[in-house]
């Protein structure tokens, strides 16, 4: 899952980015409102985490302009503006949730997960495809009831495929969901992660669609053969 973080405070931004990356999200971090709006309008994010007091363009204006431009990406506002009127304004112009600073990291991550669920149209905190289960809160994967240990990027890759079982997810999309703009990525990184996942789960669970990307095989996930 790919998150756009918009925060002009360097140490707070660094802390939030680290927390999100540890939770298996890929993060693109921007520090002013104008760049943030351009990125939101370009699309491709699953969630925007937005500070309100920003250089060049205030967070409220960013939300307003993004919604006017037709973006429906969920927006979680983070702000030290504690007044109820600011919270109301943020929500009324199109934010989806609001968290006052300072906040607790685990509450922040729980809100991130809740917004992701809502935008995926599900209330279930677990992703379940056949006998395969993934728990974003615990960063845990199980296959036929047995826990499978996956490092962060393998976890994020499987998560992306489980979001739309049976459908092809392109290499480019997967790469964006695993790595932020500022991270160096080897051109075969996605393939390497798939290779590692195949050693830990049934090798045919992830289907290669030559020249396009990968798909989670629902029949294999259903484990019909056994
Ligand atoms: Ca600020």
């Amino acid at each position: 899952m790919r998150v756009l973080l918009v925060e002009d405070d360097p140490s707070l931004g660094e802390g939030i980015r680290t927390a999100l990356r540890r939770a298996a999200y890929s993060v693109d971090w921007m520090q002013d409102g104008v760049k943030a709006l351009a990125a939101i309008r370009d699309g491709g994010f699953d969630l925007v985490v937005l500070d309100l007091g920003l250089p060049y363009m205030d967070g409220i204006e960013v939300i307003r302009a993004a919604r006017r431009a037709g973006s429906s990406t969920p927006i979680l506002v983070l702000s030290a503006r504690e007044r109820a009127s600011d919270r109301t304004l943020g929500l009324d112009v199109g934010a989806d949730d609001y968290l006052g600073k300072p906040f607790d990291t685990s509450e922040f991550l729980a809100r991130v997960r809740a917004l992701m669920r809502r935008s995926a149209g599900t209330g279930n905190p677990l992703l379940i495809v056949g006998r395969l289960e993934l728990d974003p809160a615990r960063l845990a994967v199980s296959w036929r009831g047995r826990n499978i240990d996956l490092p962060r990027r393998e976890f994020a890759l499987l998560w992306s495929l489980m979001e739309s079982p049976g459908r092809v997810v392109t290499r480019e999309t997967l790469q964006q969901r695993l790595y932020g703009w500022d991270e160096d990525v080897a051109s075969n990184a996605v393939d390497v992660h798939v290779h590692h996942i195949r050693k830990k789960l049934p090798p045919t669970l992830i289907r290669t669609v030559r020249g396009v990307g990968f798909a989670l095989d629902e029949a294999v996930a259903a484990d019909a053969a056994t």
Side-chain angles (χ1 to χ4, degrees), residues 3 14 29 33 36 39-40 43-44 46 75 77 83 101 133 138 156 170 177 180 183 186 193 201-202 215 220 222:
V3 178
E14 191 71 57
W29 178 17
I40 296 168
D46 300 290
I75 298 176
V77 165
R83 295 202 317 265
K101 293 176 185 170
E133 288 192 16
R138 289 172 45 239
T170 65
R177 288 186 163 199
E183 292 177 276
H193 293 310
L201 286 165
V220 176

Side-chain angles (χ1 to χ4, degrees), residues 19-62:
L20 285 168
R21 283 188 176 163
R22 284 195 184 132
Y25 300 101
S26 87
V27 184
D28 294 320
W29 178 17
M30 300 196 157
Q31 308 196 20
D32 77 67
V34 171
K35 280 192 188 139
L37 177 60
I40 296 168
R41 293 177 70 156
D42 281 347
F45 294 98
D46 300 290
L47 177 74
V48 179
V49 175
L50 182 72
D51 179 30
L52 289 188
L54 290 168
Y56 308 128
M57 188 185 235
D58 187 76
I60 294 287
E61 283 313 308
V62 172

Side-chain angles (χ1 to χ4, degrees), residues 194-208:
V194 168
H195 177 74
H196 289 309
I197 296 172
R198 281 177 176 154
K199 289 183 181 164
K200 298 169 195 172
L201 286 165
T204 52
L205 186 64
I206 298 179
R207 238 176 334 111
T208 303

Side-chain angles (χ1 to χ4, degrees), residues 153 175 178-190 193:
R153 289 208 169 94
Q175 194 168 306
L178 302 188
Y179 297 93
W181 291 339
D182 56 338
E183 292 177 276
D184 288 330
V185 193
S187 61
N188 66 341
V190 169
H193 293 310

Side-chain angles (χ1 to χ4, degrees), residues 7-8 51 53:
E7 170 59 72
D8 61 326
D51 179 30

